[in-house]
Amino acid sequence: MARRNQHSKEALRELALDAVQRIAERDGPHIVSARKVAHEIGYAPGMLYHLFENIDDLILQANARTVMMLTDTLRQAIQRKKPINAVLAMASQYLALAQQNSRRWQLLFEHAMRNDVPVPSWYQHQTDTLFELVEQQLALLAPEKSSKDVTLAARSIWSAVHGVCLLAVTGKLDVGGPVQAPKIVESLVRHYLLGWTLEK
Amino acid sequence: MARRNQHSKEALRELALDAVQRIAERDGPHIVSARKVAHEIGYAPGMLYHLFENIDDLILQANARTVMMLTDTLRQAIQRKKPINAVLAMASQYLALAQQNSRRWQLLFEHAMRNDVPVPSWYQHQTDTLFELVEQQLALLAPEKSSKDVTLAARSIWSAVHGVCLLAVTGKLDVGGPVQAPKIVESLVRHYLLGWTLEK
DNA sequence: CCACCCAACTAAACAGCGTTCAATAGGGTA
DNA sequence: TACCCTATTGAACGCTGTTTAGTTGGGTGG
């Protein structure tokens, strides 16, 4: 068989990205493979290589969707809140999303580049947006701080929250039960910001 | 060939674990495979399955060594310091080690269980020790806090520092150059502890 | 000293992986 | 109707983890 042309190139791409996320959620993130994805959408594995550079590219683009979903959610979490509460809401939303779709997040967190080329810039760019959302709130919270300080603080908070989400999603935080992850996030953000605003 | 008996079972195990770390450092963590490890020590791949349950077990035991090295280093970092400085020293030592042996740390951070059985308890136990080291210092720092509060704070700090190390080692923090990772760690610990000790 | 035994180890096989590419099939056009 | 051109396939290559039957050779009993 050839030239079915049932789907446009773009529709096919969407189909494949849907399949990646569906397989990850259904069978676990480490089950995702070019062959499984192709089978899931009823094509031969080779076809995928006309749509994506390689398996890293495929998974990365699927992960980009997850990041976009996160960005959208965080934007909504901010709405009309005071800076401290906005940052708290963003952090706890990050954790909530990661816990709700944990396998999708595992795909995001645990995917290590096989073709050891560095993370592409368009992806980096997308994650930078997340930093910026935090920076905006911090700038509102402490207008007297330099933009350098704000950048550093945003990166600190973000890395920290990311660390909690990672450990939570991969089950490495469950010593007192999985319930306390939200408490850790809140403790982290609240105390850091308290210390940060009181400084000097 | 069979029954060379050049090495005892225990010596062979050490040989294999050495090989894992050597290959990871030399060729990159994603190069490590049962076949490569076996070849590195001059045996057939099947032999490894008399020493280890599977490839996860092998890599996990190699990673356990990395964690032990970390634990030892952190213990030394504490010596005769005041609590705040002890925690700061531990955190920056964590980052320093991770950056120095980045590939070995990538093996630790990025290894996702293929046989999706949960992380074994002996491993969990070993990482718990790290939490305890932080808890001890926090208890000294704020004797009035409940042990519940101390546990929560230790977990917060540890997850946060872990998050920074992870992003630093995997190159996802390099927007203003890799130099600023230590600054982020210090900012994190210092401001969190300031906020935490001032609370209530 | 020899023969036997059993454990240590290997070689080969299986299934699955990412990736490439010659071959093909079938819709669109002349 | 016939041709073309491209979307798609199927098979191949070399890699992976893992299992297993089979072989080898050191240690021990006779």
Side-chain angles (χ1 to χ4, degrees):
Chain A
M1 296 157 250
R3 177 62 152 267
R4 315 190 210 168
N5 246 359
Q6 293 179 349
H7 311 93
S8 75
K9 203 162 183 173
E10 200 42 55
L12 219 43
R13 210 190 300 273
E14 293 302 309
L15 229 53
L17 294 176
D18 285 347
V20 168
Q21 298 190 321
R22 197 161 50 246
I23 294 170
E25 288 288 7
R26 192 206 317 131
D27 307 323
H30 66 283
I31 295 295
V32 175
S33 74
R35 284 178 148 89
K36 287 272 165 54
V37 171
H39 180 261
E40 178 90 6
I41 62 178
Y43 282 80
M47 191 272 296
L48 291 175
Y49 290 81
H50 291 281
L51 304 177
F52 304 94
E53 244 185 73
N54 50 39
I55 189 72
D56 282 342
D57 185 33
L58 171 57
I59 294 184
L60 220 57
Q61 292 200 29
N63 284 342
R65 287 178 156 199
T66 305
V67 175
M68 278 181 58
M69 164 179 154
L70 176 61
T71 310
D72 288 349
T73 306
L74 295 199
R75 264 193 238 280
Q76 288 176 10
I78 293 174
Q79 283 184 346
R80 282 174 291 121
K81 292 194 178 75
K82 290 179 188 170
I84 285 193
N85 291 329
V87 177
L88 277 169
M90 279 193 277
S92 65
Q93 274 298 324
Y94 186 6
L95 178 64
L97 272 183
Q99 285 185 321
Q100 279 160 29
N101 319 316
S102 67
R103 290 179 150 177
R104 206 157 135 186
W105 246 262
Q106 278 177 49
L107 190 70
L108 176 62
F109 289 158
E110 292 188 350
H111 175 65
M113 291 288 171
R114 290 200 250 271
N115 309 7
D116 58 357
V117 66
V119 181
S121 63
W122 63 264
Y123 187 81
Q124 189 96 10
H125 203 271
Q126 214 170 25
T127 55
D128 286 353
T129 306
L130 297 173
F131 281 110
E132 283 163 23
L133 286 180
V134 182
E135 280 184 33
Q136 286 168 14
Q137 296 306 313
L138 295 187
L140 291 175
L141 177 66
E144 77 284 4
K145 299 256 186 187
S146 72
S147 76
K148 215 174 167 184
D149 283 349
V150 168
T151 300
L152 185 69
R155 243 160 252 277
S156 300
I157 290 179
W158 194 254
S159 311
V161 172
H162 177 72
V164 179
C165 291
L166 181 91
L167 294 179
V169 159
T170 54
K172 290 170 184 158
L173 219 56
D174 303 348
V175 184
V179 197
Q180 63 182 23
K183 283 192 180 176
I184 295 181
V185 166
E186 181 170 345
S187 163
L188 211 37
V189 175
R190 206 177 278 287
H191 293 133
Y192 180 90
L193 287 182
L194 180 58
W196 187 65
T197 48
L198 288 179
E199 184 190 44
K200 274 169 212 164
Chain B
M1 299 155 247
R3 180 60 152 265
R4 317 190 208 166
N5 246 359
Q6 293 178 347
H7 311 94
S8 74
K9 202 163 183 172
E10 200 41 54
L12 219 43
R13 209 190 302 273
E14 293 301 309
L15 229 52
L17 294 176
D18 285 347
V20 168
Q21 299 191 321
R22 199 163 48 247
I23 293 170
E25 288 287 8
R26 193 207 316 131
D27 307 322
H30 66 283
I31 295 295
V32 175
S33 73
R35 285 176 148 91
K36 288 272 165 56
V37 171
H39 179 261
E40 177 92 6
I41 62 178
Y43 282 80
M47 191 272 295
L48 291 175
Y49 290 81
H50 292 282
L51 305 176
F52 304 93
E53 247 185 67
N54 49 39
I55 189 72
D56 281 344
D57 185 33
L58 171 57
I59 294 185
L60 219 58
Q61 292 200 28
N63 284 342
R65 287 179 156 197
T66 305
V67 175
M68 280 182 58
M69 163 178 155
L70 176 61
T71 310
D72 288 349
T73 305
L74 295 199
R75 264 192 238 280
Q76 288 176 9
I78 294 174
Q79 282 185 345
R80 283 172 292 121
K81 292 194 177 75
K82 290 179 186 170
I84 284 192
N85 291 330
V87 177
L88 276 169
M90 281 193 276
S92 65
Q93 274 298 325
Y94 186 8
L95 178 65
L97 272 182
Q99 285 185 322
Q100 278 160 30
N101 318 319
S102 65
R103 292 180 148 175
R104 205 158 137 186
W105 246 262
Q106 279 176 48
L107 191 69
L108 176 62
F109 289 157
E110 293 188 349
H111 174 64
M113 291 288 171
R114 291 200 250 270
N115 310 7
D116 57 358
V117 64
V119 180
S121 63
W122 63 263
Y123 187 82
Q124 188 95 10
H125 202 271
Q126 216 171 24
T127 55
D128 286 352
T129 307
L130 297 174
F131 280 111
E132 283 163 25
L133 285 180
V134 182
E135 280 184 33
Q136 286 168 13
Q137 297 306 312
L138 294 187
L140 291 175
L141 176 66
E144 76 283 4
K145 299 257 186 184
S146 72
S147 77
K148 215 174 167 183
D149 283 350
V150 168
T151 301
L152 184 70
R155 243 160 252 278
S156 300
I157 290 179
W158 194 253
S159 310
V161 172
H162 177 73
V164 179
C165 291
L166 180 92
L167 294 180
V169 159
T170 54
K172 290 169 185 158
L173 219 55
D174 303 348
V175 185
V179 196
Q180 64 182 23
K183 283 192 181 175
I184 295 180
V185 166
E186 181 169 346
S187 165
L188 212 36
V189 175
R190 206 177 278 287
H191 292 134
Y192 179 91
L193 286 182
L194 180 58
W196 187 65
T197 48
L198 286 181
E199 184 189 44
K200 275 167 208 161

